[in-house]
Every structure is written in structure tokens, then in C-alpha cells.
Amino acid sequence: MREDGPVNDKGRLVLAGAPIGQADDASPRLREALATADVIAAEDTRRLRRLATDIGVSLGGRVVSYYDANEAARAQELLGALLDGETVLVITDAGMPGVSDPGYRLTRLAVDAGVPVTALPGPSAVTTALAISGLASDRFCFEGFPPRKPGERSRRLAALAGEERTMVFFEAPHRLGATLGAMAEAFGAERPAAVCRELTKTYEEVRRGGLGELAAWAEGDVRGEITLVVAGHEPGSAEPDIEELVDEVARRQEAGTPRKQAIVEVAKSAGIPKRTLYDAVHRA
């Protein structure tokens, strides 16, 4: 077992939480670290310099870009700086490095090399959205961005249908409607959820309701940074009567609908996985 000790001839990696909307949320420790770090690895160097200006800090070290496209190569370079005894600070556009943002690869390299790693806690869209969603927050899981491709997204969500913890997702505004619709199919249209938009910013908005209702709302022009909070499955909660659904499939078949199509349609309307209904029909 390796622990980061107080004495080390190597440098130090600092993961810095950045404000998610309001520059004034920057902590005094973040201000000091930005002014004193030897190297600052920023997801967007322009946004970093704008933040520094807004909070009145002069960046003390050299600034390098560190984003998705160059993360693997840059991590090796930054590890070299750490092994040379320098303090490297990683900061993303908003929130905590490594949480759906660059940071994990360098952290893993630093840990494996015995370099001390620390964090400057800061605002987080995940916990902020969870706190204001009105949904249970005693147990939750973070699922990041759902897959972009419809088939992969449906399979991922179907696997989460029985998840009992509150779930937190990120999503791009132009995909929000499709994702909420897919969630309504996988979890049920009445599953409670909250769409949190532009958290801590001037036009912050929280929409709460069932997934079906929110999917209909999201068909409009939704903009900004989106964090989505979805209630977990409640054991013992009212579930669709599977026998009634099997009977409905049979009625549609008698009316001329092919069995496979009938199963797909009935499962979608009931908000259950197609495979569940297929198995029930097969058994019947």
C-alpha cells in the first residue's frame, strides 16, 4: 500500500476544482495555488486566463494546455515535470479534474510514480444538482455522459433500470430530448427527475417532473450546461402487470401486428425492457 507522505524529493500534483459558473466561488486556496504553481495544466488556457483576471490573480508558472485530444501525450510530459520536483496544478473549465474531464491519466501516472497527489476541493455540478433536485441524496451514483449512439444509449439505460440509487448524468443540450425520451422508455415515463441548467449562473433553471414530461419539454430550444438527476428504482413500487402486457401483445398479433413489432411497441409504452416482455411472451 502506498501513501503520500509529507517528505518527498519529487514534485506534487494538485487537482484544482474550478468554479462552475460564478468566479467568486473560487476559494482562497485556489487563488494561492494559481499564483504559486510551477506548471498550470488547463483544459482551456483562455478560460483559465479569464478566470485569473476575474479573481485578480497573476499566474505564477508556465501554462500548458491539457484537454481530451492531447491528454495522453501531455500526461507523460507533466509527469516529467513532477519527477523534476515541480508543482503541477491541473484545472478544467469547471468542476473537478477527472470527473468527466481530463485528469485521471496524469493522476494514475503520478500515483504509480510515488508522486504526492492532493486536491483543492471546489464547486461540483454533480453534487450541486443533486442537492437542489429535490430527489433522495443519501445514496447516489454518477454516470457521466450517456452514450451518443441510440443503440448503445438504450442498452446502457436498460442496465440501469433497476438501479436503486439516485443517478446523476451530464448531457449536451442538443441531445437532451433524445436522452430523456430514452430514459422514459428504460425507466418509465413517470420516474421523477430534474433537469438542472446553467447551475450557479445568471439564468440557472431547474425543471422537475416525470421523465416523459421532461422529454416533451426538452423538444424545445434548450441551451447551456446540463446536469440531469434521475430518481432510483423503488423496490416494491407499482410495476406494470406483465400478464396484462402479454395479453396486449396477443391482441395486437390477432389484429395483424407481427409478434416482434407488438412486443417492441408494448414494452416501449409500458417503460420496460423489450427482453423482459419477450421472455414473458415466450413463457406464455
Side-chain angles (χ1 to χ4, degrees):
M1 180 175 66
R2 176 186 294 123
E3 296 184 2
D4 295 341
V7 178
N8 196 299
D9 58 355
K10 302 179 179 67
R12 185 175 63 144
L13 176 61
V14 181
L15 305 174
I20 60 176
Q22 298 291 335
D24 288 344
D25 289 336
S27 69
R29 291 183 65 204
L30 175 59
R31 288 175 164 86
E32 179 183 0
L34 288 172
T36 59
D38 298 305
V39 183
I40 302 174
E43 184 178 13
D44 186 326
T45 58
R46 292 170 298 180
R47 292 186 65 165
L48 167 66
R49 295 186 191 282
R50 185 161 63 247
L51 172 64
T53 298
D54 290 343
I55 63 178
V57 169
S58 296
L59 301 176
R62 66 183 185 278
V63 175
V64 299
S65 61
Y66 183 55
Y67 54 95
D68 288 338
N70 75 350
E71 183 179 6
R74 185 73 83 190
Q76 292 291 340
E77 175 187 328
L78 294 171
L79 177 63
L82 290 166
L83 295 176
D84 286 340
E86 294 188 293
T87 295
V88 175
L89 183 145
V90 175
I91 187 167
T92 61
D93 293 345
M96 201 70 194
V99 181
S100 286
D101 277 323
Y104 165 75
R105 285 186 175 87
L106 180 57
T107 301
R108 185 69 260 169
L109 289 173
V111 169
D112 290 344
V115 174
V117 179
T118 189
L120 300 180
S124 166
V126 175
T127 52
T128 300
L130 181 67
I132 67 176
S133 68
L135 300 174
S137 58
D138 54 334
R139 298 175 65 235
F140 72 95
C141 59
F142 175 58
E143 289 293 327
F145 285 90
R148 297 184 181 186
K149 295 182 179 179
E152 294 178 7
R153 180 174 57 214
S154 295
R155 287 191 291 274
R156 175 75 62 80
L157 295 176
L160 291 171
E163 173 59 65
E164 297 179 10
R165 296 170 294 180
T166 299
M167 296 168 281
V168 184
F169 301 82
F170 289 159
E171 188 52 290
H174 63 279
R175 291 195 297 269
L176 180 62
T179 293
L180 286 168
M183 287 180 171
E185 289 186 24
F187 305 152
E190 300 304 315
R191 179 79 69 93
V195 177
C196 304
R197 189 180 69 84
E198 294 290 88
L199 287 170
T200 78
K201 300 177 184 177
T202 302
Y203 298 104
E204 176 180 285
E205 179 184 21
V206 181
R207 288 270 180 169
R208 303 175 180 87
L211 284 168
E213 174 189 352
L214 291 173
W217 164 77
E219 291 178 358
D221 185 19
V222 180
R223 300 182 180 182
E225 300 286 339
I226 303 293
T227 306
L228 179 57
V229 187
V230 183
H233 169 73
E234 293 186 16
S237 60
E239 299 286 350
D241 188 319
I242 198 68
E243 292 184 3
E244 290 184 5
L245 299 182
V246 170
D247 290 342
E248 176 61 22
V249 170
R251 285 192 290 270
R252 296 193 185 203
Q253 282 187 260
E254 292 174 0
T257 303
R259 173 183 287 191
K260 183 176 181 180
Q261 180 180 340
I263 290 173
V264 170
E265 292 173 350
V266 174
K268 180 176 181 180
S269 65
I272 66 172
K274 291 179 292 185
R275 186 72 196 184
T276 299
L277 183 55
Y278 173 85
D279 291 343
V281 170
H282 181 72
R283 288 193 300 271

